[in-house]
Amino acid sequence: MNRENTLFAIVGLLFGYAVAFSLVVYLNQGQTAPRVTPPGGQQQAGENLPMNAVKDQQKLKSEAEAAAQKARQESENFDSQIAAANASVGVEDYEGAIDFLTRANKLRPDDYETLLMLGRANFEAQRFEVAGRWYADALKRKPEDLDARSELALTYFLRTPPDVNRAVAEFNTALARDPGHEVTLHNLTLMYIETGKISEAEATFARLEKASPDSDRLPRLRERLKEARVKPPTASTAPGSTSAGQKKTPTD
């Protein structure tokens, strides 16, 4: 398993989104791991958790603290910074992960996986503009990474205000390289649904069905598209919008 997959194994490379964009967008690399903290809320250690889950949580926290201490002691050790970032993600400490990944990037500025992980960690921290810059830097080195291109597109969509045109442009850049790219077609369909462009969503979904007829994500997306035909998104649920005084919070 490479460093990239190790770092994001806990979150399964599936991003939690703001309340305004509550659908799960997926990447190819894995499935979502159960989260200890419920979407949009905080939970105290041990509250309504099975005993084994509490023990696992405590173990992850202990491992993260040890890895962080080692990384600080070995400030010039690239692998120690990556290990600490890995452990920080394990306890959903994305700010900590960003710190150690930034140190790793200073040690190896051209390391592609570190650049990509910085994009993903900032994405989880809802720093979408910052995440976009890291993705763009990574893609300069590996423009053929279509998953990363799809993720970059999402950073434009989830900004406040959203830049839908730029997001579509990045999705189309990925599809120009691979017209059947499953991740891009899935995420583009969701984006069209969320922006109320139902005819475009239907056309993109049809391409996805043809390209990946056995995808286990098709039923959920099909149901969401069916719901959108009946009740398309309103201005209050458009990406980037929130109710008065309401902050964006992660959700699965």
Coordinates of all heavy atoms in Angstrom, one line a residue, residues 127-220:
R127 N -11.2 23.8 3.4 CA -10.4 24.9 2.8 C -10.3 24.6 1.3 O -9.3 24.2 0.8 CB -9.0 24.9 3.4 CG -9.0 25.2 4.9 CD -7.6 25.2 5.5 NE -7.5 25.5 6.9 CZ -6.4 25.5 7.6 NH1 -5.2 25.2 7.0 NH2 -6.4 25.8 8.8
F128 N -11.4 24.9 0.7 CA -11.5 24.4 -0.7 C -10.6 25.2 -1.7 O -10.1 24.6 -2.6 CB -13.0 24.6 -1.2 CG -13.9 23.7 -0.4 CD1 -15.0 24.2 0.4 CD2 -13.7 22.3 -0.3 CE1 -15.8 23.5 1.1 CE2 -14.6 21.5 0.4 CZ -15.6 22.1 1.2
E129 N -10.4 26.5 -1.4 CA -9.5 27.2 -2.3 C -8.1 26.8 -2.1 O -7.3 26.6 -3.1 CB -9.6 28.7 -2.0 CG -11.0 29.3 -2.5 CD -11.0 30.8 -2.4 OE1 -9.9 31.4 -2.4 OE2 -12.1 31.4 -2.3
V130 N -7.7 26.6 -0.9 CA -6.3 26.1 -0.6 C -6.2 24.7 -1.2 O -5.1 24.4 -1.9 CB -6.0 26.0 0.9 CG1 -4.7 25.4 1.2 CG2 -6.1 27.4 1.5
A131 N -7.2 23.8 -1.0 CA -7.1 22.5 -1.6 C -6.9 22.5 -3.1 O -6.2 21.8 -3.7 CB -8.4 21.7 -1.2
G132 N -7.7 23.5 -3.7 CA -7.6 23.6 -5.2 C -6.2 23.9 -5.6 O -5.7 23.4 -6.7
R133 N -5.5 24.8 -4.9 CA -4.1 25.1 -5.3 C -3.2 23.9 -5.2 O -2.3 23.7 -6.0 CB -3.6 26.3 -4.4 CG -4.3 27.6 -4.6 CD -3.5 28.8 -4.1 NE -3.5 28.8 -2.6 CZ -4.5 29.4 -1.9 NH1 -5.5 30.0 -2.5 NH2 -4.4 29.4 -0.6
W134 N -3.4 23.1 -4.1 CA -2.5 21.9 -4.0 C -2.8 20.9 -5.1 O -1.9 20.3 -5.7 CB -2.7 21.3 -2.7 CG -2.0 22.0 -1.6 CD1 -2.6 22.7 -0.5 CD2 -0.6 22.2 -1.4 NE1 -1.7 23.2 0.3 CE2 -0.5 23.0 -0.2 CE3 0.5 21.8 -2.1 CZ2 0.8 23.3 0.3 CZ3 1.8 22.2 -1.6 CH2 1.9 22.9 -0.4
Y135 N -4.1 20.7 -5.4 CA -4.5 19.8 -6.6 C -3.9 20.3 -7.9 O -3.3 19.5 -8.7 CB -6.0 19.7 -6.7 CG -6.7 18.8 -5.7 CD1 -7.7 19.3 -4.9 CD2 -6.4 17.5 -5.7 CE1 -8.3 18.5 -4.0 CE2 -7.0 16.6 -4.8 CZ -8.0 17.1 -3.9 OH -8.6 16.3 -3.1
A136 N -4.0 21.6 -8.1 CA -3.5 22.2 -9.4 C -1.9 22.0 -9.5 O -1.4 21.6 -10.5 CB -3.8 23.7 -9.4
D137 N -1.3 22.1 -8.3 CA 0.2 21.9 -8.3 C 0.5 20.5 -8.6 O 1.5 20.2 -9.4 CB 0.7 22.4 -7.0 CG 2.3 22.6 -7.0 OD1 2.8 22.6 -8.1 OD2 2.8 22.8 -5.9
A138 N -0.2 19.6 -8.0 CA 0.0 18.1 -8.3 C -0.3 17.8 -9.7 O 0.5 17.1 -10.4 CB -0.9 17.3 -7.4
L139 N -1.3 18.3 -10.3 CA -1.7 18.0 -11.7 C -0.7 18.6 -12.7 O -0.6 18.1 -13.8 CB -3.1 18.5 -12.0 CG -4.2 17.7 -11.3 CD1 -5.5 18.4 -11.3 CD2 -4.3 16.3 -12.1
K140 N 0.1 19.6 -12.3 CA 1.1 20.1 -13.2 C 2.2 19.0 -13.4 O 2.8 18.9 -14.5 CB 1.8 21.3 -12.6 CG 0.9 22.5 -12.6 CD 1.7 23.7 -12.0 CE 0.8 24.9 -11.9 NZ 1.5 26.0 -11.1
R141 N 2.3 18.1 -12.4 CA 3.3 17.1 -12.5 C 2.7 15.8 -13.0 O 3.4 14.9 -13.6 CB 3.9 16.8 -11.1 CG 4.7 18.0 -10.6 CD 4.8 17.9 -9.0 NE 5.8 18.9 -8.5 CZ 5.5 20.2 -8.4 NH1 4.3 20.6 -8.7 NH2 6.4 21.0 -8.0
K142 N 1.4 15.6 -12.9 CA 0.8 14.4 -13.4 C -0.6 14.7 -13.9 O -1.6 14.3 -13.3 CB 0.7 13.3 -12.2 CG 0.4 11.9 -12.7 CD 0.5 11.0 -11.5 CE 0.1 9.5 -11.9 NZ 0.2 8.6 -10.7
P143 N -0.7 15.3 -15.0 CA -2.0 15.7 -15.6 C -3.0 14.6 -15.9 O -4.2 14.8 -16.1 CB -1.7 16.6 -16.8 CG -0.3 16.1 -17.2 CD 0.4 15.7 -15.9
E144 N -2.4 13.4 -16.0 CA -3.2 12.2 -16.4 C -4.0 11.6 -15.2 O -4.8 10.7 -15.4 CB -2.4 11.2 -17.1 CG -1.4 10.4 -16.1 CD -0.1 11.2 -16.0 OE1 0.0 12.4 -16.4 OE2 0.9 10.6 -15.4
D145 N -3.8 12.2 -14.0 CA -4.5 11.6 -12.9 C -5.9 12.2 -12.9 O -6.2 13.3 -12.4 CB -3.8 12.0 -11.6 CG -4.4 11.4 -10.3 OD1 -5.6 10.9 -10.4 OD2 -3.7 11.3 -9.3
L146 N -6.9 11.4 -13.4 CA -8.2 11.9 -13.6 C -9.0 12.0 -12.3 O -9.9 12.8 -12.2 CB -9.0 11.0 -14.6 CG -8.3 10.9 -16.0 CD1 -9.2 10.2 -17.0 CD2 -7.9 12.3 -16.6
D147 N -8.7 11.1 -11.4 CA -9.4 11.3 -10.0 C -9.0 12.6 -9.4 O -9.9 13.3 -8.9 CB -8.9 10.1 -9.1 CG -9.5 8.8 -9.5 OD1 -10.4 8.7 -10.4 OD2 -9.1 7.8 -8.9
A148 N -7.8 13.0 -9.5 CA -7.3 14.3 -8.9 C -8.0 15.4 -9.6 O -8.4 16.4 -9.0 CB -5.8 14.4 -8.9
R149 N -8.1 15.3 -10.9 CA -8.8 16.3 -11.7 C -10.3 16.5 -11.3 O -10.8 17.6 -11.2 CB -8.7 16.0 -13.2 CG -9.3 17.0 -14.2 CD -8.5 18.2 -14.3 NE -7.2 17.9 -14.9 CZ -6.2 18.8 -15.1 NH1 -6.4 20.1 -14.8 NH2 -5.1 18.5 -15.6
S150 N -10.9 15.4 -11.1 CA -12.3 15.4 -10.6 C -12.4 16.1 -9.2 O -13.3 16.8 -9.0 CB -12.9 14.0 -10.6 OG -14.3 14.0 -10.3
E151 N -11.5 15.8 -8.4 CA -11.4 16.4 -7.0 C -11.2 17.9 -7.1 O -11.8 18.7 -6.4 CB -10.4 15.7 -6.2 CG -10.7 14.2 -5.9 CD -9.5 13.5 -5.4 OE1 -8.7 14.1 -4.5 OE2 -9.2 12.4 -5.8
L152 N -10.3 18.3 -8.0 CA -10.1 19.7 -8.3 C -11.3 20.4 -8.7 O -11.7 21.5 -8.2 CB -9.0 19.9 -9.3 CG -8.7 21.4 -9.8 CD1 -8.3 22.2 -8.6 CD2 -7.7 21.4 -10.9
A153 N -12.1 19.8 -9.6 CA -13.4 20.3 -10.0 C -14.3 20.6 -8.8 O -15.0 21.6 -8.8 CB -14.0 19.4 -11.0
L154 N -14.3 19.6 -7.9 CA -15.2 19.8 -6.8 C -14.8 21.0 -5.9 O -15.7 21.6 -5.3 CB -15.2 18.5 -6.0 CG -15.9 17.3 -6.6 CD1 -15.7 16.0 -5.8 CD2 -17.4 17.6 -6.8
T155 N -13.5 21.3 -5.8 CA -13.1 22.4 -5.0 C -13.7 23.7 -5.5 O -14.0 24.6 -4.7 CB -11.6 22.5 -4.9 OG1 -11.1 23.0 -6.1 CG2 -11.0 21.2 -4.4
Y156 N -13.9 23.8 -6.8 CA -14.5 25.0 -7.4 C -16.0 25.0 -7.1 O -16.5 26.1 -6.8 CB -14.3 25.0 -8.9 CG -12.8 25.3 -9.3 CD1 -12.0 24.4 -9.8 CD2 -12.3 26.6 -9.1 CE1 -10.7 24.7 -10.2 CE2 -11.0 26.9 -9.5 CZ -10.2 25.9 -10.0 OH -8.9 26.2 -10.3
F157 N -16.6 23.9 -7.2 CA -18.0 23.8 -6.9 C -18.4 24.1 -5.5 O -19.4 24.7 -5.2 CB -18.5 22.4 -7.3 CG -20.0 22.2 -7.1 CD1 -20.9 23.1 -7.7 CD2 -20.5 21.2 -6.3 CE1 -22.3 22.9 -7.5 CE2 -21.8 21.0 -6.1 CZ -22.7 21.9 -6.6
L158 N -17.5 23.8 -4.5 CA -17.9 23.9 -3.1 C -17.4 25.2 -2.5 O -17.6 25.4 -1.3 CB -17.3 22.7 -2.4 CG -18.0 21.4 -2.7 CD1 -17.2 20.2 -2.1 CD2 -19.4 21.4 -2.1
R159 N -16.8 26.0 -3.3 CA -16.4 27.3 -2.7 C -17.6 28.2 -2.5 O -18.7 28.0 -3.0 CB -15.4 28.0 -3.7 CG -14.1 27.2 -3.9 CD -13.1 27.9 -4.8 NE -12.1 26.9 -5.2 CZ -11.0 27.3 -5.8 NH1 -10.8 28.5 -6.2 NH2 -10.0 26.4 -6.1
T160 N -17.3 29.3 -1.8 CA -18.4 30.3 -1.6 C -17.9 31.6 -2.2 O -17.0 32.3 -1.7 CB -18.7 30.5 -0.1 OG1 -19.0 29.2 0.5 CG2 -19.8 31.5 0.2
P161 N -18.6 32.1 -3.3 CA -19.6 31.4 -4.0 C -19.0 30.3 -4.9 O -17.9 30.4 -5.2 CB -20.3 32.5 -4.8 CG -19.1 33.4 -5.1 CD -18.3 33.4 -3.8
P162 N -19.9 29.4 -5.3 CA -19.4 28.3 -6.2 C -19.0 28.8 -7.5 O -19.7 29.7 -8.1 CB -20.5 27.3 -6.2 CG -21.7 28.1 -5.8 CD -21.3 29.1 -4.9
D163 N -18.0 28.3 -8.1 CA -17.6 28.6 -9.5 C -18.0 27.4 -10.4 O -17.1 26.5 -10.7 CB -16.1 28.9 -9.6 CG -15.7 29.4 -10.9 OD1 -16.5 29.3 -11.9 OD2 -14.6 30.0 -11.0
V164 N -19.2 27.3 -10.7 CA -19.8 26.1 -11.4 C -19.1 26.0 -12.8 O -18.8 24.9 -13.2 CB -21.3 26.2 -11.6 CG1 -21.8 25.0 -12.4 CG2 -21.9 26.2 -10.2
N165 N -18.9 27.1 -13.5 CA -18.4 27.0 -14.8 C -16.9 26.4 -14.8 O -16.6 25.6 -15.7 CB -18.3 28.4 -15.5 CG -19.7 28.9 -15.8 OD1 -20.6 28.1 -16.0 ND2 -19.9 30.2 -15.9
R166 N -16.2 26.9 -13.8 CA -14.8 26.3 -13.7 C -14.8 24.8 -13.4 O -14.0 24.0 -13.8 CB -14.0 27.1 -12.7 CG -12.5 26.7 -12.6 CD -11.8 27.1 -13.9 NE -10.4 26.7 -13.8 CZ -9.4 27.4 -13.3 NH1 -9.7 28.6 -12.8 NH2 -8.2 27.0 -13.3
A167 N -15.8 24.5 -12.5 CA -15.9 23.1 -12.1 C -16.2 22.2 -13.3 O -15.6 21.2 -13.6 CB -17.0 22.9 -11.1
V168 N -17.2 22.7 -14.1 CA -17.6 21.9 -15.3 C -16.4 21.8 -16.3 O -16.2 20.8 -16.9 CB -18.8 22.6 -16.0 CG1 -19.0 22.0 -17.4 CG2 -20.0 22.5 -15.2
A169 N -15.6 22.9 -16.4 CA -14.5 22.9 -17.3 C -13.4 21.8 -16.9 O -12.9 21.1 -17.7 CB -13.8 24.2 -17.3
E170 N -13.2 21.7 -15.6 CA -12.3 20.7 -15.1 C -12.8 19.3 -15.3 O -12.1 18.3 -15.6 CB -11.9 20.9 -13.6 CG -11.2 22.2 -13.3 CD -9.8 22.2 -13.9 OE1 -9.3 21.1 -14.3 OE2 -9.2 23.3 -14.0
F171 N -14.1 19.1 -15.0 CA -14.7 17.8 -15.3 C -14.6 17.4 -16.7 O -14.3 16.3 -17.1 CB -16.2 17.8 -14.9 CG -16.5 17.7 -13.4 CD1 -17.4 18.5 -12.8 CD2 -15.9 16.7 -12.7 CE1 -17.7 18.4 -11.4 CE2 -16.2 16.5 -11.3 CZ -17.1 17.4 -10.7
N172 N -14.8 18.4 -17.6 CA -14.7 18.1 -19.1 C -13.3 17.8 -19.5 O -13.1 17.0 -20.4 CB -15.3 19.3 -19.9 CG -16.8 19.3 -19.8 OD1 -17.5 18.3 -19.6 ND2 -17.4 20.5 -20.0
T173 N -12.3 18.4 -18.8 CA -10.9 18.1 -19.1 C -10.7 16.7 -18.8 O -10.0 16.0 -19.6 CB -10.0 19.0 -18.3 OG1 -10.2 20.4 -18.7 CG2 -8.5 18.6 -18.5
A174 N -11.2 16.2 -17.7 CA -11.0 14.7 -17.4 C -11.7 13.9 -18.4 O -11.2 12.8 -18.9 CB -11.6 14.5 -16.0
L175 N -12.9 14.2 -18.8 CA -13.7 13.4 -19.7 C -13.1 13.4 -21.1 O -13.3 12.5 -21.9 CB -15.2 13.9 -19.7 CG -15.9 13.6 -18.4 CD1 -17.3 14.2 -18.5 CD2 -16.0 12.1 -18.2
A176 N -12.4 14.5 -21.5 CA -11.7 14.6 -22.8 C -10.6 13.5 -22.9 O -10.4 12.9 -23.9 CB -11.1 15.9 -23.0
R177 N -10.0 13.2 -21.7 CA -9.0 12.1 -21.7 C -9.6 10.7 -21.6 O -9.1 9.8 -22.2 CB -8.1 12.3 -20.5 CG -7.1 13.4 -20.7 CD -6.2 13.6 -19.4 NE -5.1 14.5 -19.6 CZ -3.9 14.2 -20.0 NH1 -3.6 13.0 -20.3 NH2 -3.0 15.2 -20.2
D178 N -10.7 10.6 -20.9 CA -11.4 9.3 -20.7 C -12.9 9.6 -20.6 O -13.5 9.9 -19.5 CB -11.0 8.6 -19.5 CG -11.7 7.3 -19.2 OD1 -12.5 6.9 -20.1 OD2 -11.4 6.6 -18.2
P179 N -13.7 9.5 -21.7 CA -15.1 9.8 -21.8 C -15.9 8.9 -20.8 O -17.1 9.3 -20.5 CB -15.5 9.6 -23.2 CG -14.2 9.7 -24.0 CD -13.2 9.2 -23.1
G180 N -15.4 7.8 -20.4 CA -16.1 6.9 -19.5 C -15.6 6.9 -18.1 O -15.9 6.0 -17.3
H181 N -14.9 7.9 -17.7 CA -14.3 7.9 -16.4 C -15.4 8.0 -15.3 O -16.1 9.0 -15.2 CB -13.4 9.2 -16.2 CG -12.6 9.1 -14.9 ND1 -12.7 10.1 -14.0 CD2 -11.7 8.2 -14.4 CE1 -11.9 9.8 -13.0 NE2 -11.3 8.7 -13.2
E182 N -15.5 6.9 -14.5 CA -16.7 6.7 -13.6 C -16.7 7.8 -12.6 O -17.8 8.3 -12.3 CB -16.6 5.3 -13.0 CG -17.7 5.0 -12.1 CD -17.6 3.6 -11.5 OE1 -16.7 2.9 -11.9 OE2 -18.5 3.3 -10.7
V183 N -15.6 8.1 -11.9 CA -15.6 9.1 -10.9 C -16.1 10.4 -11.4 O -17.0 11.1 -10.8 CB -14.2 9.3 -10.3 CG1 -14.1 10.5 -9.3 CG2 -13.7 8.0 -9.6
T184 N -15.6 10.9 -12.5 CA -16.0 12.2 -13.1 C -17.5 12.2 -13.5 O -18.2 13.2 -13.2 CB -15.1 12.5 -14.3 OG1 -13.8 12.6 -13.8 CG2 -15.6 13.9 -14.9
L185 N -18.0 11.2 -14.1 CA -19.4 11.1 -14.5 C -20.3 11.1 -13.3 O -21.3 11.8 -13.3 CB -19.6 9.9 -15.4 CG -19.0 9.9 -16.8 CD1 -19.1 8.6 -17.5 CD2 -19.6 11.0 -17.7
H186 N -19.9 10.4 -12.3 CA -20.7 10.3 -11.1 C -20.8 11.7 -10.4 O -21.9 12.2 -10.1 CB -20.1 9.3 -10.1 CG -20.9 9.2 -8.8 ND1 -20.8 10.1 -7.8 CD2 -21.8 8.2 -8.4 CE1 -21.6 9.7 -6.8 NE2 -22.2 8.5 -7.2
N187 N -19.6 12.3 -10.2 CA -19.6 13.6 -9.5 C -20.2 14.7 -10.3 O -20.9 15.6 -9.8 CB -18.2 14.0 -9.2 CG -17.6 13.0 -8.2 OD1 -18.3 12.2 -7.5 ND2 -16.3 13.0 -8.0
L188 N -20.1 14.7 -11.7 CA -20.7 15.7 -12.5 C -22.2 15.6 -12.5 O -22.9 16.6 -12.5 CB -20.1 15.6 -14.0 CG -20.6 16.6 -15.0 CD1 -20.4 18.0 -14.5 CD2 -20.0 16.3 -16.3
T189 N -22.7 14.3 -12.5 CA -24.1 14.1 -12.4 C -24.7 14.7 -11.1 O -25.7 15.5 -11.1 CB -24.5 12.6 -12.4 OG1 -24.0 12.0 -13.6 CG2 -26.0 12.4 -12.3
L190 N -24.0 14.5 -10.0 CA -24.4 15.1 -8.7 C -24.4 16.6 -8.8 O -25.3 17.2 -8.2 CB -23.5 14.6 -7.6 CG -23.7 13.2 -7.0 CD1 -22.7 12.9 -6.0 CD2 -25.1 13.1 -6.4
M191 N -23.4 17.2 -9.4 CA -23.3 18.6 -9.4 C -24.4 19.2 -10.2 O -25.0 20.2 -9.8 CB -21.9 19.1 -10.0 CG -21.6 20.5 -9.8 SD -20.2 21.1 -10.7 CE -20.9 21.2 -12.3
Y192 N -24.7 18.6 -11.3 CA -25.9 19.0 -12.1 C -27.2 18.9 -11.4 O -28.0 19.8 -11.4 CB -26.0 18.2 -13.4 CG -25.0 18.7 -14.5 CD1 -24.4 17.8 -15.3 CD2 -24.8 20.0 -14.8 CE1 -23.5 18.2 -16.4 CE2 -23.9 20.5 -15.8 CZ -23.3 19.5 -16.6 OH -22.5 19.9 -17.6
I193 N -27.3 17.9 -10.6 CA -28.5 17.7 -9.8 C -28.6 18.8 -8.8 O -29.7 19.5 -8.6 CB -28.5 16.3 -9.1 CG1 -28.8 15.2 -10.1 CG2 -29.6 16.3 -8.0 CD1 -28.6 13.8 -9.5
E194 N -27.5 19.1 -8.1 CA -27.5 20.1 -7.0 C -27.7 21.5 -7.6 O -28.2 22.4 -6.9 CB -26.2 20.1 -6.3 CG -26.0 18.9 -5.4 CD -27.1 18.8 -4.3 OE1 -27.3 19.8 -3.6 OE2 -27.8 17.8 -4.2
T195 N -27.4 21.8 -8.8 CA -27.6 23.1 -9.4 C -28.9 23.2 -10.2 O -29.2 24.2 -10.9 CB -26.4 23.4 -10.4 OG1 -26.2 22.4 -11.3 CG2 -25.1 23.6 -9.6
G196 N -29.7 22.1 -10.2 CA -31.0 22.1 -10.8 C -31.0 21.9 -12.3 O -32.0 22.1 -13.0
K197 N -29.9 21.5 -12.8 CA -29.8 21.2 -14.3 C -30.1 19.8 -14.5 O -29.2 18.9 -14.8 CB -28.4 21.6 -14.8 CG -28.0 23.1 -14.6 CD -26.7 23.4 -15.2 CE -26.4 24.9 -15.0 NZ -25.0 25.3 -15.6
I198 N -31.4 19.5 -14.5 CA -31.8 18.1 -14.5 C -31.6 17.4 -15.8 O -31.2 16.2 -15.9 CB -33.3 18.0 -14.1 CG1 -33.6 18.7 -12.8 CG2 -33.8 16.5 -14.1 CD1 -32.7 18.2 -11.7
S199 N -31.8 18.1 -16.9 CA -31.6 17.5 -18.3 C -30.1 17.1 -18.4 O -29.8 16.1 -19.0 CB -32.0 18.4 -19.4 OG -31.3 19.7 -19.3
E200 N -29.2 18.0 -18.0 CA -27.8 17.7 -18.1 C -27.4 16.6 -17.2 O -26.6 15.7 -17.5 CB -27.0 18.9 -17.7 CG -27.0 20.1 -18.7 CD -28.1 21.1 -18.4 OE1 -29.1 20.7 -17.7 OE2 -28.0 22.2 -18.9
A201 N -28.1 16.5 -16.0 CA -27.8 15.4 -15.0 C -28.3 14.1 -15.7 O -27.6 13.1 -15.5 CB -28.6 15.7 -13.7
E202 N -29.4 14.1 -16.3 CA -29.9 12.9 -16.9 C -29.0 12.4 -18.0 O -28.7 11.2 -18.2 CB -31.3 13.1 -17.4 CG -32.4 13.3 -16.3 CD -33.7 13.6 -16.9 OE1 -33.8 14.2 -18.0 OE2 -34.7 13.3 -16.2
A203 N -28.5 13.3 -18.8 CA -27.6 12.9 -19.9 C -26.3 12.4 -19.4 O -25.8 11.4 -19.9 CB -27.4 14.2 -20.8
T204 N -25.8 13.0 -18.4 CA -24.5 12.5 -17.8 C -24.7 11.2 -17.1 O -23.8 10.3 -17.2 CB -24.0 13.6 -16.8 OG1 -23.9 14.8 -17.4 CG2 -22.6 13.2 -16.3
F205 N -25.8 11.0 -16.4 CA -26.1 9.8 -15.8 C -26.2 8.6 -16.8 O -25.8 7.5 -16.6 CB -27.4 9.9 -15.0 CG -27.8 8.6 -14.2 CD1 -27.1 8.2 -13.1 CD2 -28.8 7.8 -14.7 CE1 -27.4 7.0 -12.4 CE2 -29.1 6.6 -14.0 CZ -28.4 6.2 -12.9
A206 N -26.8 8.9 -17.9 CA -26.9 7.9 -19.0 C -25.5 7.5 -19.5 O -25.3 6.3 -19.8 CB -27.7 8.5 -20.2
R207 N -24.6 8.4 -19.6 CA -23.3 8.1 -19.9 C -22.6 7.2 -18.9 O -21.9 6.3 -19.2 CB -22.4 9.4 -20.1 CG -22.8 10.2 -21.3 CD -22.1 11.6 -21.4 NE -20.7 11.4 -21.5 CZ -19.8 12.4 -21.5 NH1 -20.2 13.6 -21.3 NH2 -18.5 12.1 -21.7
L208 N -22.9 7.5 -17.6 CA -22.4 6.7 -16.5 C -22.9 5.3 -16.6 O -22.1 4.3 -16.4 CB -22.7 7.4 -15.2 CG -22.3 6.6 -13.9 CD1 -20.8 6.4 -13.9 CD2 -22.7 7.4 -12.7
E209 N -24.2 5.2 -16.8 CA -24.8 3.8 -16.9 C -24.2 3.0 -18.0 O -23.9 1.8 -17.8 CB -26.3 4.0 -17.1 CG -27.1 4.3 -15.9 CD -28.6 4.3 -16.2 OE1 -29.0 4.9 -17.2 OE2 -29.3 3.6 -15.5
K210 N -23.9 3.6 -19.1 CA -23.3 2.9 -20.2 C -21.8 2.6 -20.0 O -21.4 1.5 -20.3 CB -23.4 3.8 -21.5 CG -22.8 3.1 -22.8 CD -23.0 4.0 -24.0 CE -22.5 3.4 -25.2 NZ -22.6 4.2 -26.4
A211 N -21.1 3.5 -19.3 CA -19.7 3.2 -19.1 C -19.5 2.3 -17.9 O -18.5 1.5 -18.0 CB -19.0 4.6 -18.7
S212 N -20.3 2.3 -16.9 CA -20.1 1.5 -15.7 C -21.5 0.9 -15.3 O -22.0 1.2 -14.2 CB -19.6 2.3 -14.5 OG -18.4 2.9 -14.9
P213 N -22.0 0.0 -16.1 CA -23.4 -0.6 -15.8 C -23.5 -1.4 -14.5 O -24.6 -1.6 -14.0 CB -23.6 -1.5 -17.0 CG -22.3 -1.8 -17.6 CD -21.4 -0.6 -17.3
D214 N -22.3 -1.9 -14.0 CA -22.4 -2.7 -12.8 C -22.0 -1.9 -11.5 O -21.8 -2.5 -10.5 CB -21.4 -3.9 -13.0 CG -21.8 -4.8 -14.1 OD1 -23.0 -5.0 -14.3 OD2 -20.9 -5.3 -14.8
S215 N -21.8 -0.6 -11.6 CA -21.4 0.2 -10.5 C -22.5 0.1 -9.4 O -23.7 0.2 -9.6 CB -21.3 1.6 -10.9 OG -21.0 2.4 -9.7
D216 N -22.0 -0.2 -8.2 CA -23.0 -0.3 -7.0 C -23.4 1.1 -6.6 O -24.3 1.1 -5.7 CB -22.3 -1.1 -5.9 CG -21.0 -0.4 -5.4 OD1 -20.7 0.6 -5.9 OD2 -20.4 -1.0 -4.4
R217 N -22.9 2.1 -7.2 CA -23.4 3.5 -6.8 C -24.5 4.0 -7.7 O -25.1 5.0 -7.4 CB -22.2 4.4 -6.8 CG -21.1 4.0 -5.9 CD -19.8 4.8 -6.1 NE -18.8 4.5 -5.1 CZ -17.9 3.5 -5.3 NH1 -17.9 2.8 -6.4 NH2 -17.0 3.2 -4.3
L218 N -24.8 3.3 -8.7 CA -25.9 3.7 -9.6 C -27.2 3.8 -9.0 O -28.0 4.7 -9.2 CB -25.9 2.8 -10.8 CG -24.8 2.9 -11.9 CD1 -25.0 1.9 -13.0 CD2 -24.9 4.3 -12.5
P219 N -27.6 2.8 -8.2 CA -29.0 2.9 -7.6 C -29.2 4.1 -6.7 O -30.3 4.8 -6.8 CB -29.1 1.6 -6.7 CG -28.1 0.6 -7.4 CD -27.0 1.5 -7.9
R220 N -28.2 4.5 -5.9 CA -28.4 5.7 -5.1 C -28.5 6.9 -5.9 O -29.3 7.8 -5.7 CB -27.2 5.8 -4.1 CG -27.3 7.0 -3.2 CD -26.2 7.0 -2.2 NE -26.3 8.1 -1.3 CZ -25.4 8.4 -0.4 NH1 -24.3 7.6 -0.2 NH2 -25.6 9.4 0.5

